[in-house]
Amino acid sequence: MKRYWFILIVTVIAISSGCKREQRAFHEQPPVVHTVDSNTVMQLPPGASLPVQNVKNDYEQNAYALSEGKRLFSAYNCNGCHSMGGGGMGPALMDEKWIYGGKPEEIFSTIVAGRPNGMPSFRGRVPDFQIWQLAAYVRSMSGQLRKDAAPTRDDHLQGRPPESMTKQKSD
Amino acid sequence: MIGLLLSGIAFAAQNALDPAGPLAGRINSLTRVMIYLLSAIFIIVMIVLAIAAFRRQRHTTPEPEPHNAVIPPQHDREQRLSRTVTAGVLLSVAILFVLLVSSFLIGHKVFTSPDRSNALIIEVNGRQWWWDVRYDHPVPSQIVTTANEIHIPVGRPVVLRLGSNDVIHSFWVPNLHGKMDMIPGRTQEFALQADRAGVFRGQCAEYCGHQHAHMALLVIAEPEDQFNAWYQAQLQPAPAPSTASQINGQKVFLSKPCVMCHRIQGTDAGGRLGPDLTHVASRQTIAAGTLNNSREHLSQWIQNSQDVKPGNRMPPIPVNGNDLNSLLDYVQSLK
């Protein structure tokens, strides 16, 4: 009898640990509180290199935030230039090559500050929490996120495997 | 009594039993025929059942019959029974046939495509969770875009072109017509007509997500000349801000996330994700019929719409006191 209880409790704990991936908040606070200095365009500093920031974007493990990022990606017309990640007027986002860096804080500053030759600055126009959702989604395009959190399908016809099926390329 | 109950209880601005147009009138007459006839049948059946139950009780004899008793044939009783059953079946078939034919004829009349020579054509698109409204016109400069409020002239047929941009919604203004689904990727034509002036409330009638219940719209039927005056006013670009506060408010609007989704004609704000705000102050409600259009409600909505309508697409906008006042002054000047 005791053994059954043990199995039951372990199963419940195992199942409920997965609940956070669907957690959604109506009063969103950006997952990263300290503002990333988004004025830096060049990664090359004089002298010794800057300390690595290593910002953790919690949205990268949240399926709801990622699907919101996916919705905003077309709503705010990111796909106007980047197509559905394949690139067009702007660079492709579904490969492993990142001109201005592919870490969460680098993507954040790319969106906030803009980049030379076309990427507009969205400072003040898109709320911070939505930029973090977009940054998380953009990283799912190249298969860098957990498969159970990344979006599994499009709302429309899609010409590529879903983000959850994208394999990360290794050099 | 049933009729009294039906017409008395419901909310007057959203009531299928208080029709304001010929199509809703036909649906209403069919509904009433069905309700009265079926209630009468129900009452008669209940009376007959009660009589049968009490008669049976009176005649029952408790003495048991022996196993091998021969029951004498009762020819006249059997004949009477079969006659009654036959009459009942024929009567039921006849009544059902009448109801079938009348509902078929009314359904056919209600959903045939109308005469469009004189019709006003309005595109209505369902969004999560509001209504995007566009008055079609062959001359592009005469097209009017608005949201959540449809003005129509009394006595003139209106053809709605219903569609959706996200999920399935359903357009339902009970005083004017039945329901019609709005399906993404399809245009569904739907004719309406109002025979008297009035404000009629409509509601999304197909579950479409978190705030489905707060997806309402108003249809305002008014005399032709009033409608034309409204239409001419809607065609104008937004009035330019006149006071210092309004000028600052416009600056706030254009430098905040508002411009990503909303449009104000005559300014740089050209977003198409949210409702067109060119003449937002002329509308009676905000947030798709959720709140009355007042300064307090606008302020509440701008600062944190998630408190009012949790899950809606508008993010909270951080504005401080002075800028908020200016912004409200500006938005309220958009008559």
Side-chain angles (χ1 to χ4, degrees):
Chain A
M1 195 62 200
K2 255 186 187 166
R3 192 197 292 166
Y4 289 121
W5 274 110
F6 178 73
I7 292 171
L8 184 75
I9 290 166
V10 168
T11 316
V12 166
I13 291 169
I15 290 170
S16 58
S17 68
C19 292
K20 262 207 153 173
R21 66 180 278 277
E22 270 292 342
Q23 196 175 54
R24 53 184 80 184
F26 294 130
H27 302 272
E28 287 287 3
Q29 288 298 320
V32 181
V33 181
H34 71 271
T35 47
V36 176
D37 179 15
S38 41
N39 287 318
T40 324
V41 171
M42 194 46 159
Q43 305 297 316
L44 206 66
S49 55
L50 291 167
V52 184
Q53 283 200 349
N54 276 338
V55 169
K56 184 168 176 285
N57 182 359
D58 287 337
Y59 285 155
E60 293 188 349
Q61 296 176 13
N62 186 300
Y64 174 68
L66 286 166
S67 77
E68 280 294 284
K70 187 182 172 104
R71 184 176 67 79
L72 295 172
F73 189 84
S74 52
Y76 289 154
N77 202 26
C78 307
N79 52 8
C81 295
H82 297 287
S83 193
M84 299 310 275
M89 205 196 293
L93 302 175
M94 59 202 287
D95 58 9
E96 76 282 20
K97 292 190 175 63
W98 297 79
I99 300 174
Y100 296 103
K103 283 191 277 185
E105 68 275 18
E106 289 166 335
I107 298 172
F108 181 88
S109 37
T110 300
I111 298 172
V112 172
R115 295 295 184 190
N117 301 325
M119 176 76 190
S121 154
F122 290 89
R123 178 180 282 120
R125 302 303 168 92
V126 178
D128 276 4
F129 77 90
Q130 289 189 340
I131 297 181
W132 286 114
Q133 287 174 343
L134 280 163
Y137 169 65
V138 163
R139 271 163 61 84
S140 79
M141 283 178 159
S142 46
Q144 303 189 54
L145 306 187
R146 281 168 50 171
K147 304 258 173 291
D148 62 344
T152 50
R153 64 176 191 91
D154 280 1
D155 284 341
H156 308 283
L157 280 175
Q158 57 185 15
R160 60 184 163 86
E163 289 80 357
S164 61
M165 303 277 280
T166 308
K167 291 223 170 62
Q168 194 176 357
K169 285 173 194 149
S170 50
D171 290 316
Chain B
M1 193 191 80
I2 294 163
L4 209 87
L5 268 175
L6 289 174
S7 45
I9 288 174
F11 177 42
Q14 188 181 334
N15 186 353
L17 298 162
D18 178 25
L23 301 161
R26 290 205 180 101
I27 295 173
N28 177 44
S29 54
L30 181 66
T31 311
R32 280 178 193 270
V33 164
M34 291 217 174
I35 289 173
Y36 294 143
L37 188 64
L38 301 184
S39 312
I41 292 171
F42 178 74
I43 290 166
I44 290 168
V45 168
M46 282 300 129
I47 290 170
V48 171
L49 193 69
I51 290 172
F54 285 114
R55 239 174 57 176
R56 184 72 191 267
Q57 256 179 0
R58 233 189 297 139
H59 288 278
T60 314
T61 40
E63 58 184 76
E65 284 175 21
H67 274 302
N68 52 357
V70 178
I71 302 167
Q74 298 174 301
H75 288 295
D76 53 330
R77 185 177 143 83
E78 272 169 21
Q79 223 167 20
R80 214 166 55 229
L81 263 177
S82 64
R83 233 181 275 141
T84 317
V85 169
T86 314
V89 167
L90 287 179
L91 192 66
S92 310
V93 169
I95 291 171
L96 286 175
F97 189 71
V98 167
L99 289 179
L100 175 76
V101 169
S102 57
S103 72
F104 177 78
L105 287 179
I106 285 180
H108 186 69
K109 264 187 196 159
V110 162
F111 287 106
T112 42
S113 58
D115 170 30
R116 273 116 213 286
S117 52
N118 183 32
L120 178 71
I121 295 176
I122 309 175
E123 281 175 26
V124 183
N125 263 296
R127 301 284 197 102
Q128 281 175 321
W129 290 274
W130 58 284
W131 311 83
D132 193 7
V133 180
R134 185 170 170 273
Y135 288 74
D136 209 15
H137 199 280
V139 182
S141 66
Q142 301 294 302
I143 292 172
V144 160
T145 312
T146 179
N148 302 328
E149 203 170 289
I150 302 175
H151 287 244
I152 58 171
V154 169
R156 193 168 146 199
V158 176
V159 175
L160 299 177
R161 291 211 175 117
L162 305 178
S164 167
N165 287 56
D166 34 51
V167 299
I168 300 177
H169 302 278
S170 184
F171 183 91
W172 186 37
V173 184
N175 294 60
L176 295 175
H177 207 323
K179 301 169 186 176
M180 181 59 83
D181 277 7
M182 308 167 96
I183 298 162
R186 263 184 81 148
T187 306
Q188 197 78 47
E189 292 213 335
F190 194 49
L192 284 184
Q193 189 174 324
D195 284 343
R196 59 178 163 90
V199 178
F200 309 112
R201 189 177 182 276
Q203 167 72 39
C204 180
E206 176 73 44
Y207 180 70
C208 58
H210 203 97
Q211 286 298 339
H212 161 66
H214 289 141
M215 183 172 167
L217 80 160
L218 292 181
V219 174
I220 297 168
E222 51 198 6
E224 188 90 32
D225 52 329
Q226 268 181 44
F227 170 77
N228 287 335
W230 173 84
Y231 199 85
Q232 288 308 314
Q234 297 288 311
L235 277 175
Q236 304 303 314
S242 48
T243 67
S245 176
Q246 286 173 14
I247 291 169
N248 184 40
Q250 191 186 40
K251 218 173 73 191
V252 173
F253 189 95
L254 296 177
S255 58
K256 291 278 174 190
C258 319
V259 285
M260 293 298 286
C261 303
H262 292 290
R263 180 159 79 151
I264 295 180
Q265 288 181 55
T267 72
D268 287 339
R272 300 285 293 118
L273 293 176
D276 188 304
L277 300 182
T278 312
H279 296 286
V280 66
S282 72
R283 302 205 276 262
Q284 295 185 11
T285 63
I286 56 169
T290 311
L291 297 173
N292 290 330
N293 192 354
S294 71
R295 196 180 173 87
E296 292 72 38
H297 286 157
L298 276 170
S299 156
Q300 213 180 339
W301 181 256
I302 292 168
Q303 288 185 85
N304 200 348
S305 61
Q306 301 298 328
D307 276 345
V308 182
K309 200 169 165 179
N312 85 81
R313 300 283 198 233
M314 178 152 150
I317 309 295
V319 263
N320 60 36
N322 195 26
D323 278 355
L324 180 64
N325 258 327
S326 304
L327 186 60
L328 290 171
D329 281 340
Y330 175 61
V331 170
Q332 288 204 302
S333 76
L334 300 173
K335 294 269 181 212

